[in-house]
Amino acid sequence: MWKTILRRILLMIPQLLVLSILVFVLGSLMPGDALTGLIDPSISPEQIEAMREQLGLNQPVHIQYWNWLKGVLQGDFGRSFQHQQPVLSIIGQRIVPTLWLSLYSSILTYAIAITLGIISGRYEGSWADKLINLYTFVAYSIPSFVLGLLFLWLFGYKLGWFPTRGTIASGVQPGTFAAVMSRIKHMTLPAITMALLSTTGIILYLRSGIVDAKVQDYVRTARAKGVPESVIYNKHITRNSFLPVASGMGYVITGLISGAVITETIFTYQGMGLLFINSITGRDYTVMIALTLLFGTMTLLGTLLSDIIMVIVDPRIRIR
């Protein structure tokens, strides 16, 4: 299996290379450049042109890309035009809040989805099943920015239960218990928003698996032998229904990391999602390309992680 994992990782290199070319070319086709809108009006056009020449913005796209790629191979993703810092330094500051938010969201997602999926599948056709199906329909159809704005208005502004922006309250001493609780409080509302919208597929897969497993021969045999119903569900039905859920677990976890762009923007959460949006609006191409490659890497790793989880859940499966 380890040879397969190594081969799959090596196959990611040409995929990421193609992705970087597409992003770099598309970024160059955007109107303006990194100096657009950031220049003092008192600076003469000659000085602006000299700055563009110094930064290499007047060079052909393929030369700019080659220079950038040589830097990446040496561990240098360039320098942010907006923040005037190395790109890796900026991403390093933002990746920790996003990882904590994604971990929090993942825990909430699976806690909610597994509970509702088991109830819906076990009590098929009951009022609880109908309510859960209604919930999945609404959660699947509502856009993330609508739910985020609704929660922001209701729980942030109207009720005042949660902060409406940022990652930590001002004036809190870092490293203290108060700082930890402040971060958790700032993460809760965006984490709930992301979790509620990520549960639908898991609930439906788990419910479908339980409903199908209930009529299998091994379940009938267990009932005929007098095995208690709780044991049948916990040991046989539910366990065998987790394979479809496990197959998408890697996508869900990595998707929460790279898919927090809208949620972080709505709640002004200082993570990679908000940084990505600001890099696009500010034409900070070096940051935008680096984040796109990072999100692409997360997606590819999610595919591999899902395969590995499936092997752990069902050893009969072999990844190729």
Side-chain angles (χ1 to χ4, degrees):
M1 185 178 74
W2 293 109
K3 291 182 179 179
T4 303
I5 293 175
L6 179 60
R7 186 175 70 249
R8 293 275 291 274
I9 293 175
L10 292 176
L11 287 174
M12 294 179 188
I13 296 176
Q15 293 174 319
L16 293 175
L17 181 64
V18 173
L19 177 63
S20 67
I21 294 174
L22 291 175
V23 174
F24 204 96
V25 172
L26 291 176
S28 66
L29 295 177
M30 294 174 64
D33 53 35
L35 299 180
T36 304
L38 300 178
I39 300 299
D40 189 340
S42 62
I43 298 179
S44 65
E46 291 76 14
Q47 290 176 304
I48 296 176
E49 192 63 27
M51 294 176 65
R52 286 198 175 97
E53 189 69 30
Q54 182 181 3
L55 294 174
L57 299 178
N58 290 335
Q59 295 177 340
V61 176
H62 64 279
I63 295 179
Q64 293 185 45
Y65 175 78
W66 176 246
N67 292 333
W68 172 83
L69 184 60
K70 288 190 296 184
V72 170
L73 295 177
Q74 298 173 3
D76 181 15
F77 281 80
R79 190 174 181 85
S80 168
F81 296 107
Q82 281 187 316
H83 303 274
Q84 293 301 309
Q85 296 180 30
V87 171
L88 290 182
S89 176
I90 299 172
I91 294 178
Q93 297 169 11
R94 299 294 189 94
I95 194 172
V96 175
T98 296
L99 288 177
W100 280 115
L101 177 61
S102 301
L103 177 62
Y104 196 0
S105 302
S106 299
I107 294 173
L108 292 176
T109 296
Y110 281 97
I112 296 171
I114 292 175
T115 302
L116 296 183
I118 292 175
I119 294 174
S120 181
R122 182 168 182 173
Y123 303 103
E124 180 188 6
S126 65
W127 62 268
D129 181 33
K130 294 176 182 178
L131 286 178
I132 293 172
N133 285 332
L134 177 62
Y135 158 74
T136 56
F137 175 78
V138 174
Y140 183 78
S141 59
I142 188 171
S144 58
F145 69 90
V146 173
L147 186 62
L149 290 173
L150 176 62
F151 281 1
L152 188 66
W153 171 79
L154 179 60
F155 299 108
Y157 291 104
K158 196 72 175 178
L159 300 176
W161 292 355
F162 299 99
T164 57
R165 59 182 297 135
T167 56
I168 190 172
S170 59
V172 178
Q173 184 68 26
T176 61
F177 179 74
V180 174
M181 295 306 298
S182 177
R183 288 188 180 277
I184 293 175
K185 196 172 183 180
H186 279 77
M187 285 193 298
T188 299
L189 208 53
I192 292 175
T193 302
M194 295 170 61
L196 291 178
L197 298 177
S198 303
T199 56
T200 54
I202 302 173
I203 293 174
L204 294 175
Y205 278 126
L206 186 55
R207 179 188 183 276
S208 177
I210 293 175
V211 170
D212 291 341
K214 287 194 298 186
V215 297
Q216 297 297 318
D217 292 336
Y218 65 87
V219 175
R220 294 196 187 100
T221 303
R223 286 197 177 103
K225 290 182 178 180
V227 179
E229 196 70 15
S230 59
V231 176
I232 292 175
Y233 269 96
N234 295 333
K235 189 176 180 180
H236 299 288
I237 297 178
T238 304
R239 182 178 179 181
N240 292 329
S241 302
F242 263 97
L243 188 58
V245 177
S247 66
M249 189 173 292
Y251 296 106
V252 172
I253 295 174
T254 57
L256 288 171
I257 297 176
S258 59
V261 175
I262 297 176
T263 305
E264 288 187 3
T265 304
I266 292 173
F267 292 96
T268 324
Y269 187 83
Q270 300 298 320
M272 293 191 298
L274 183 61
L275 177 64
F276 183 67
I277 293 296
N278 291 338
S279 67
I280 294 176
T281 56
R283 299 178 178 85
D284 201 351
Y285 299 133
T286 52
V287 176
M288 180 185 68
I289 294 171
L291 286 175
T292 304
L293 287 177
L294 178 60
F295 295 155
T297 304
M298 290 293 104
T299 303
L300 295 175
L301 289 176
T303 306
L304 180 59
L305 181 60
S306 292
D307 292 340
I308 295 173
I309 293 174
M310 288 181 65
V311 173
I312 295 174
V313 174
D314 189 350
R316 296 172 300 177
I317 299 175
R318 292 292 180 266
I319 60 176
R320 298 178 179 179

